[in-house]
Amino acid sequence: MSNYFFTDEGSDKKVFKEQIQKTLDVLEQTYDTPKCYKGALPEEVKKEITSIDVLPDEGMGFDKALNVLKEKVLPYMVFPPSKTYMAHLHSPALSEGVVSELIIGAYNQSMDSWDQGPAATNVEIHVINKLCSLFGFNNGDGAITSGGSQSNLTALFLARDAKLADLGFDAKHNALGDWSKKLVCYTSEISHFSFDKASHLLGLGYNAVRHVKTDSCYRMDINDLRNKVETDIKNGLVPFAVVATVGTTDFGSIDPLVEIHKICSEYGMYMHSDAAYGSALIMSSKYKNRISGIEYSDSITIDFHKMFLLPISCSAIIVKNKNYLDPLSFRAVYLNREEEEELGYENLVSKGLQTTRRFDSLKVLFSFMVRGAKGFDEIISKSVENAEYLYEKLKNDSDFETFNKPEISAVIFRYVGSSSDLNNLNKNIRHALMHMCGIFIGETETEGKTTLKTTLLNPRTEKKDLDELVCKIKEFANKNV
Ligand SMILES: *Cc1c(COP(=O)(O)O)cnc(C)c1O
């Protein structure tokens, strides 16, 4: 029988330590290639995983179960720290972030009330205050969330209720009625799908999200935004928010923040910046000016599990004005009694959508302290420089077509050497790289064409690694795989 917990008792501590050591040994043995994947095909992975008896009658104990993981699960993982892993906005996890996960798990604090995490509550508040000051919010507030999608849902919810409150309607206690047919918001045609989902969840539906055209640099077209807002107003609708994307998922393009802010002020709309990707530029002394104007937003989504390289999950929503969080407040007699809060027991349950919530702010605190502003400056600037290098290289090679001059670290391209079916050729190149070389790049569709994509996040990646990628692509293309 395994022990139950890590406790104050010596025997529990000893068993826990041994378990950690054995786990480290297994990690060391299974992480044994510079490639990001060992090449198994989907059916092979499925076969191994489904051969596991999920709930045996008699437990097999720690050692045997760990061995099953070692044989059947870990060999089919991808290794995000590998230099050949560049498909998605899915980052390697900084080692102090992984160590934080151990602390988070061992202490298992929860963020909903002070008595479930006295230090944790204060760490989160302290971290949120730092984020607010980094982004120029002097009277700001916010919360750590599970990811950009949740941060965006929260933002759209706050924006909707702020607008309705301005119009004298209490959306907390009343059904939306006719408002559900009138409220509309705006985001670019290449913004993240979480806003469509959020609008659906908020009772407004996909149709309430107006998809504004983008210009030749994949940024929101301000004239189209203005036209759409004016048309909607003429038709008796109520525009309540504009969502600027600060780093689109595919291109890393950044919407014109200052102009969007002007239009928001003019028409009384809330401005949210979805900076899940691009928020990290705030740490780069060389590139932070690319997101200037973000301080005009009413709220900002920040993902720490993307460019900041912290383990999943870790995101934040910050708001310019503390009062924006009012729609989230709720009194539960068993959690956040008013008289307790007057005594200084702060309960964060009133700042987010979740109740029980992980102590993810520890990862931010720890890694910020470990590396400092300079350490993050290096990490983020390096990825942007790598993207610039790869883009220039591809642009100057007639075998490739490029689309976006990267503003952050995503590069979209496609192979255009000889083939009658370029879409298929590019798809095949990606599959060949994945299963024959353990190199992962992304595939997407750009202007109706199948394109390839690299999202560079790894500070270990050097120019020669990018040269090698281009070589491999040409090699496969020439074999016409
Ligand atoms: C990744 C991403 C999201 C979604 O964030 P998750 O953390 O994956 O939920 C939202 N917006 C943009 C621009 C993104 O790149």
Side-chain angles (χ1 to χ4, degrees):
M1 193 52 220
S2 302
N3 68 321
Y4 283 114
F5 310 115
F6 167 65
T7 74
D8 61 312
E9 287 180 27
S11 57
D12 282 335
K13 283 182 176 155
K14 182 165 170 286
V15 174
F16 187 64
K17 231 167 150 172
E18 282 166 8
Q19 289 176 338
I20 303 255
Q21 188 54 55
K22 285 174 190 165
T23 308
L24 283 176
D25 293 343
V26 166
L27 288 180
E28 212 175 76
Q29 289 155 19
T30 52
Y31 199 152
D32 57 356
T33 160
K35 300 297 181 196
C36 75
Y37 190 59
K38 295 183 187 168
L41 290 163
E43 58 271 29
E44 207 178 320
V45 181
K46 188 172 211 97
K47 190 163 153 251
E48 281 299 322
I49 302 293
T50 48
S51 75
I52 299 173
D53 184 0
V54 175
L55 183 61
D57 249 2
E58 296 283 341
M60 61 181 87
F62 184 91
D63 292 356
K64 282 208 176 116
L66 181 63
N67 204 48
V68 173
L69 299 188
K70 181 182 170 187
E71 310 262 299
K72 293 182 181 287
V73 181
L74 302 193
Y76 306 102
M77 300 274 208
V78 292
F79 302 125
S82 162
K83 292 192 275 186
T84 67
Y85 192 67
M86 44 196 140
H88 301 283
L89 272 168
H90 175 199
S91 71
L94 292 171
S95 49
E96 70 273 15
V98 179
V99 171
S100 308
E101 290 286 357
L102 177 61
I103 302 175
I104 292 168
Y107 275 95
N108 203 36
Q109 310 292 285
S110 180
M111 303 313 303
D112 37 335
S113 64
W114 191 91
D115 59 357
Q116 297 178 76
T121 298
N122 283 281
V123 167
E124 177 162 324
I125 293 170
H126 203 38
V127 165
I128 290 287
N129 286 341
K130 180 70 202 175
L131 295 175
C132 286
S133 80
L134 270 176
F135 285 93
F137 289 0
N138 298 326
N139 182 37
D141 200 354
I144 299 290
T145 72
S146 62
S149 304
Q150 193 190 38
S151 296
N152 287 341
L153 169 62
T154 309
L156 210 63
F157 165 63
L158 300 179
R160 182 197 69 180
D161 280 21
K163 182 69 182 184
L164 289 172
D166 279 351
L167 295 167
F169 181 79
D170 169 11
K172 198 179 238 181
H173 299 98
N174 301 291
L176 291 178
D178 274 353
W179 291 116
S180 65
K181 298 186 198 120
K182 288 190 173 165
L183 293 167
V184 281
C185 62
Y186 307 82
T187 183
S188 92
E189 59 192 352
I190 54 168
S191 68
H192 196 260
F193 58 82
S194 47
F195 295 104
D196 301 277
K197 281 194 183 182
S199 183
H200 175 199
L201 282 165
L202 292 172
L204 306 177
Y206 283 9
N207 295 340
V209 183
R210 306 293 203 228
H211 291 280
V212 180
K213 282 188 211 140
T214 46
D215 63 18
S216 60
C217 298
Y218 304 99
R219 300 174 188 147
M220 187 187 281
D221 176 338
I222 285 296
N223 292 326
D224 190 47
L225 171 64
R226 184 180 287 279
N227 288 340
K228 283 191 159 67
V229 172
E230 286 175 357
T231 308
D232 284 335
I233 292 173
K234 250 184 237 147
N235 291 329
L237 299 175
V238 180
F240 72 99
V242 180
V243 173
T245 310
V246 183
T248 53
T249 311
D250 262 357
F251 302 99
S253 47
I254 298 167
D255 286 340
L257 299 168
V258 176
E259 285 88 341
I260 289 173
H261 169 247
K262 273 191 203 137
I263 294 188
C264 284
S265 312
E266 210 173 307
Y267 296 98
M269 296 182 287
Y270 181 106
M271 174 175 171
H272 176 65
S273 283
D274 176 7
Y277 184 10
S279 50
L281 291 192
I282 201 82
M283 310 297 271
S284 165
S285 46
K286 195 164 157 195
Y287 300 110
K288 80 191 312 173
N289 61 335
R290 292 187 180 176
I291 61 167
S292 65
I294 198 168
E295 66 279 10
Y296 296 128
S297 320
D298 291 300
S299 55
I300 304 174
T301 289
I302 304 165
D303 259 4
F304 290 102
H305 56 218
K306 288 181 173 165
M307 269 205 126
F308 284 94
L309 313 185
L310 292 180
I312 297 165
S313 59
C314 197
S315 174
I317 163 121
I318 57 169
V319 296
K320 172 171 254 161
N321 184 333
K322 285 182 195 307
N323 299 336
Y324 283 145
L325 295 184
D326 285 350
L328 290 162
S329 68
F330 193 92
R331 286 273 164 222
V333 286
Y334 74 96
L335 271 183
N336 58 344
R337 291 168 303 279
E338 206 162 353
E339 77 270 14
E340 288 274 305
E341 294 191 342
E342 277 161 13
L343 294 173
Y345 297 95
E346 293 176 278
N347 302 303
L348 298 188
V349 67
S350 278
K351 296 196 181 183
L353 296 174
Q354 290 170 276
T355 305
T356 303
R357 191 155 62 76
R358 289 165 50 87
F359 179 22
D360 285 321
S361 59
L362 183 74
K363 295 183 276 198
V364 182
L365 173 70
F366 195 30
S367 66
F368 276 23
M369 288 194 303
V370 167
R371 290 175 198 276
K374 284 192 183 140
F376 277 94
D377 186 352
E378 263 172 45
I379 288 173
I380 283 132
S381 301
K382 176 87 177 273
S383 292
V384 180
E385 281 156 17
N386 274 335
E388 280 175 359
Y389 174 78
L390 179 61
Y391 170 73
E392 289 299 329
K393 184 177 172 78
L394 295 169
K395 201 178 83 165
N396 294 317
D397 185 330
S398 58
D399 279 347
F400 292 95
E401 179 181 2
T402 50
F403 295 83
N404 62 323
K405 185 167 166 39
E407 290 182 80
I408 308 180
S409 69
V411 186
I412 301 254
F413 58 94
R414 73 185 209 140
Y415 185 83
V416 291
S418 59
S419 165
S420 56
D421 186 350
L422 285 177
N423 282 355
N424 242 334
L425 176 61
N426 280 281
K427 281 177 194 292
N428 289 343
I429 289 172
R430 180 175 157 268
H431 277 261
L433 288 173
M434 184 154 66
H435 295 293
M436 293 162 74
C437 309
I439 298 176
F440 278 35
I441 61 174
E443 176 190 321
T444 185
E445 207 183 285
T446 313
E447 294 162 18
K449 301 166 180 172
T450 297
T451 46
L452 301 174
K453 167 181 162 183
T454 61
T455 311
L456 302 172
L457 299 169
N458 191 333
R460 296 172 69 222
T461 301
E462 302 293 340
K463 292 182 176 127
K464 68 173 172 23
D465 301 306
L466 300 169
D467 293 343
E468 214 176 291
L469 169 70
V470 174
C471 261
K472 276 273 181 274
I473 292 175
K474 289 187 176 219
E475 197 182 304
F476 279 120
N478 288 328
K479 280 191 209 148
N480 210 2
V481 281

